[in-house]
Amino acid sequence: MTFSRHLGYYEANFAAVVSNQSYTPAAKLLATKLQVALLHHSQLNSLLKECNALKGA
């Protein structure tokens, strides 16, 4: 089963991995192929604000 099918299963529009460390080149490549965002934990607040703004739009 491909990753994109999992997004449909969970009725998700967005997939992300959150870490407090940097990502390896292999992780970045795989994330690009799977269309998954790689986030640093410090970005979560901004992401939440963006999501809330989109919900209100």
Side-chain angles (χ1 to χ4, degrees):
M1 182 178 279
T2 64
F3 185 77
S4 59
R5 289 188 193 168
H6 292 297
L7 285 176
Y9 177 80
Y10 290 106
E11 297 181 16
N13 297 318
F14 181 81
V17 175
V18 180
S19 177
N20 62 349
Q21 299 293 319
S22 59
Y23 295 95
T24 65
K28 292 176 183 178
L29 180 62
L30 185 59
T32 299
K33 287 183 179 182
L34 297 178
Q35 297 181 329
V36 173
L38 298 179
L39 303 173
H40 188 267
H41 68 92
S42 64
Q43 296 172 288
L44 288 177
N45 232 6
S46 296
L47 178 62
L48 181 59
K49 287 178 184 177
E50 286 182 45
C51 289
N52 286 335
L54 289 173
K55 281 175 48 178

